[in-house]
Amino acid sequence: MYPFRSTWVALLPLMALLSQLISTHPLCLDGNPPSIPGGPLTICKIYNNYPGSCCTVETEHEEVWYPRGRYAPSRDSDSRKCRKMISRLLCASCNPLAAHIFDGESSTPQNWPFLCQPFCERFYDACADVEINTDARVYGPFRIPGLSASQGLVKIRDLFPTQSSYCTRFGSNDKGACHTDKPTEPVGPPPPPGRVIKLTAAYPELNFDQVPIQNARVNRHHITDIKFVPGSNRVAVAFQTGQIIVFANRRSATTFDVLLDIRDRVYYRESSELGLMGLTFDPNFAENRYFYLKYTTPSNAEGTNAIVLSRFRKSESSWSADLSTERIFFNVNRPGVQHHSGTPIFDDDGLMIIPIGDGINCCSGPTRPIPSRDLSSLRGKLLRIDARRSAAQDNDYSPLYVIPESNPFKDTRDARPETVPYGLRNHYKMTWDSKLQA
């Protein structure tokens, strides 16, 4: 019945390895993704375009423009060269990888960036013999590597006599976690010659601003999933705040129905990975009207937060779901606000595959034990269950799911039998290839 059992087993070591090889993802110091600035940056110009910037015009002025001239107060030519390099150094706060180059993955992010080795060498050569002002009033939130506030006028060479001693301490060869003044390399191959890729609105007449937001602090919508509804010509859009809307799959669509609104059950916080994280429809949705969600809940009386996998049922007569139809499949304790992963999917055998992240914040530092390697925990795993039994017996007493016989840890002592591959970090989106059966 499950011909790809050997495929899953063979993939276990590979997926564990891939979790370590995935490249660093863009992330700002405040936990937000980078974006295209509201206006052109005048100093950190290389971040005006893709993959964006962690600065706005205003923050660039405060963190780069204002302090740059005060570091090297002398007007001689050497100081002018050094000020230029200091400007480029201060652009580290605008770097789309800022959370990583400031060692944001540690428990206490540092206030100076790791420098890519070539940039570190150029910076040292330009500034080593220049008196740099370390008056605390000069500094913004960041420091020049190797210097502390309130040291007076200091030469870097007095503290680090050689370029090697300085760049051994503050340089890095990890391109995903160091700052440079060179443009970020483009991601992927360029478009073929003579062809232009243009983004156009798929549903230009729809106004998503009409979807109610959670509160006054949330001023924008975050879409976490888009799905075609099986057995209909409709599209469903899930919002991180806890709403799902459906509308006709026509470019001329102007209205939508609210399929579900569970903002009172979902724990969402702006600039976080909390909220409604995934939506999938039952393969037999046209007959049973079931759809499944993965979302985060607020703290309960014991102070515990959770990732919830649950099922709802659409009304028979309208495009809305009754909140009382929710059936919770399981809760997974989540200690942090990040790495919860996203959308469940179904394979060709009707089995549900569910990604659960390791729940460790990107900036929380080393965590022991590592939950993704602990087979008794659901965190950091890809799960597989058979939810069809619950579809046949829709009541509170029947088991909500069973374990497929081909799950590799079904009979392993102290292991969660739902687990298929493990050792994963934050596997957010997936798709199922019917041809490859994987």
Side-chain angles (χ1 to χ4, degrees):
M1 182 177 179
Y2 308 115
F4 54 95
R5 176 178 183 176
S6 59
T7 304
W8 279 117
V9 177
L11 283 175
L12 294 180
L14 175 61
M15 295 195 73
L17 174 63
L18 285 175
S19 69
Q20 302 175 36
L21 297 181
I22 294 173
S23 59
T24 304
H25 60 284
L27 191 68
C28 300
L29 283 168
D30 60 3
N32 278 324
S35 59
I36 303 301
L41 302 179
T42 56
I43 303 174
C44 310
K45 298 178 182 179
I46 62 174
Y47 303 131
N48 275 325
N49 300 307
Y50 182 86
S53 170
C54 288
C55 282
T56 62
V57 173
E58 292 75 18
T59 56
E60 182 199 41
H61 187 272
E62 296 170 3
E63 298 171 5
V64 181
W65 179 269
Y66 176 74
R68 67 173 186 158
R70 299 179 178 242
Y71 282 101
S74 176
R75 296 295 178 181
D76 57 63
S77 60
D78 287 342
S79 292
R80 288 197 296 272
K81 292 178 182 177
C82 179
R83 276 200 297 274
K84 187 175 181 179
M85 290 303 293
I86 288 175
S87 295
R88 295 174 177 178
L89 171 69
L90 294 175
C91 286
S93 61
C94 302
N95 192 306
L97 299 174
H100 307 285
I101 65 177
F102 282 90
D103 197 24
E105 304 241 352
S106 69
S107 56
T108 307
Q110 57 202 26
N111 54 14
W112 51 268
F114 283 115
L115 309 178
C116 295
Q117 202 68 29
F119 177 72
C120 183
E121 294 168 1
R122 294 198 306 274
F123 179 80
Y124 184 89
D125 291 344
C127 294
D129 296 309
V130 173
E131 288 189 327
I132 296 178
N133 184 9
T134 62
D135 189 314
R137 291 173 298 176
V138 170
Y139 279 89
F142 310 116
R143 303 280 183 265
I144 292 176
L147 302 184
S148 301
S150 304
Q151 289 180 306
L153 293 174
V154 177
K155 292 183 179 180
I156 294 177
R157 192 182 298 276
D158 292 340
L159 302 174
F160 299 89
T162 65
Q163 181 194 87
S164 176
S165 64
Y166 185 74
C167 292
T168 297
R169 174 67 181 87
F170 303 107
S172 171
N173 289 314
D174 184 352
K175 292 183 179 181
C178 66
H179 176 62
T180 183
D181 56 347
K182 301 298 183 182
T184 304
E185 295 181 1
V187 178
R195 297 180 64 183
V196 177
I197 298 174
K198 183 180 179 181
L199 292 177
T200 59
Y203 308 101
E205 304 302 320
L206 275 178
N207 182 7
F208 284 172
D209 289 337
Q210 295 176 357
V211 180
I213 56 179
Q214 187 171 14
N215 53 49
R217 294 186 299 105
V218 182
N219 54 19
R220 56 186 174 181
H221 290 296
H222 297 271
I223 294 175
T224 51
D225 229 330
I226 301 175
K227 289 287 195 302
F228 288 102
V229 183
S232 76
N233 188 31
R234 284 181 171 258
V235 178
V237 175
F239 295 88
Q240 193 174 355
T241 45
Q243 305 104 310
I244 302 171
I245 64 171
V246 292
F247 51 86
N249 184 26
R250 295 193 302 268
R251 183 173 171 81
S252 59
T254 59
T255 61
F256 58 81
D257 295 297
V258 178
L259 176 63
L260 191 70
D261 186 345
I262 53 169
R263 284 176 291 167
D264 59 340
R265 304 183 188 187
V266 169
Y267 180 47
Y268 168 72
R269 198 169 78 190
E270 184 83 359
S271 305
S272 74
E273 297 176 16
L274 301 169
L276 174 53
M277 306 307 296
L279 159 70
T280 194
F281 288 89
D282 192 287
N284 297 316
F285 176 81
E287 290 76 37
N288 61 30
R289 308 191 305 280
Y290 288 134
F291 60 97
Y292 301 83
L293 307 180
K294 214 183 83 185
Y295 62 90
T296 56
T297 64
S299 299
N300 58 24
E302 289 75 35
T304 301
N305 311 112
I307 304 167
V308 171
L309 176 73
S310 75
R311 187 193 70 210
F312 286 85
R313 195 174 196 184
K314 185 190 85 69
S315 167
E316 190 171 7
S317 58
S318 68
W319 281 98
S320 63
D322 187 339
L323 297 181
S324 67
T325 63
E326 183 176 24
R327 298 289 184 268
I328 294 178
F329 279 48
F330 54 70
N331 296 271
V332 182
N333 178 48
R334 58 168 189 85
V337 298
Q338 293 179 323
H339 292 180
H340 306 314
S341 297
T343 304
I345 63 172
F346 283 91
D347 68 13
D348 287 342
D349 289 306
L351 302 179
M352 190 189 302
I353 302 171
I354 308 135
I356 302 291
D358 63 9
I360 300 174
N361 293 348
C362 78
C363 308
S364 62
T367 298
R368 297 292 185 273
I370 298 174
S372 62
R373 300 178 186 175
D374 179 3
L375 287 175
S376 68
S377 168
L378 291 179
R379 289 163 53 196
K381 312 294 191 301
L382 203 59
L383 313 179
R384 184 172 59 176
I385 64 174
D386 187 343
R388 288 171 294 186
R389 174 171 295 183
S390 63
Q393 297 175 311
D394 188 13
N395 58 64
D396 291 328
Y397 306 103
S398 62
L400 283 177
Y401 63 89
V402 294
I403 305 301
E405 289 295 327
S406 56
N407 275 19
F409 301 104
K410 182 177 186 296
D411 300 315
T412 301
R413 183 177 179 181
D414 297 328
R416 290 298 299 254
E418 298 92 340
T419 301
V420 190
Y422 65 99
L424 306 179
R425 181 79 160 138
N426 191 30
H427 36 308
Y428 187 62
K429 292 293 183 182
M430 303 182 296
T431 189
W432 180 261
D433 190 315
S434 296
K435 185 176 181 180
L436 294 177
Q437 288 288 289

